[in-house]
Amino acid sequence: MNPSQKKAYDLLKNNPEELLNSTQYQQAIKKVVAKFCSKGHFNNYSPTDVEAVVKTTLVNTKLAQMQQDYQPQFTIQIKYFERVVFSVCKELCTVELLTV
């Protein structure tokens, strides 16, 4: 594990909100949300609104799951995070976005 991956792993375990607010992880959220928006999902909402709901969902439920489930020996953390964001977006496609 290189030093930046170690730092990200330590942040995930000890301060996940700080990790979520880092530039790299903010860009990952934007990238995944943009892909969903470009495919016609969330047409009635701005990408910024979708990103806000994704972040709220991550803070409320998914970061705790990531802390428990993430195994650094099996995958790169940013890729794992992008997959979690993808799953959140997929879940949001099946519910009314603003009621989440």
Side-chain angles (χ1 to χ4, degrees):
M1 187 181 306
N2 72 38
S4 70
Q5 289 172 330
K6 171 94 171 93
K7 181 181 178 191
Y9 181 69
D10 290 343
L11 281 175
L12 175 64
K13 292 297 182 182
N14 302 317
N15 194 351
E17 289 83 12
E18 184 179 335
L19 179 71
L20 183 63
N21 291 324
S22 71
T23 303
Q24 183 180 20
Y25 284 75
Q26 290 293 313
Q27 291 301 318
I29 293 170
K30 287 181 185 294
K31 181 174 97 175
V32 174
V33 169
K35 284 183 182 180
F36 269 81
C37 290
S38 73
K39 292 182 179 182
H41 302 286
F42 312 123
N43 280 337
N44 297 329
Y45 305 99
S46 74
T48 306
D49 290 340
V50 178
E51 290 167 19
V53 174
V54 168
K55 289 175 196 174
T56 301
T57 304
L58 288 169
V59 168
N60 289 341
T61 59
K62 300 299 182 181
L63 287 177
Q65 283 181 308
M66 282 182 68
Q67 285 176 312
Q68 291 178 339
D69 297 343
Y70 176 69
Q71 299 295 320
Q73 66 269 28
F74 297 123
T75 186
I76 296 173
Q77 186 170 324
I78 191 70
K79 295 295 181 188
Y80 179 76
F81 179 78
E82 288 174 351
R83 193 68 195 162
V84 170
V85 173
F86 177 87
S87 296
V88 170
C89 288
K90 195 171 173 182
E91 289 171 15
L92 293 175
C93 287
T94 62
V95 298
E96 184 63 33
L97 184 61
L98 294 178
T99 61
V100 174

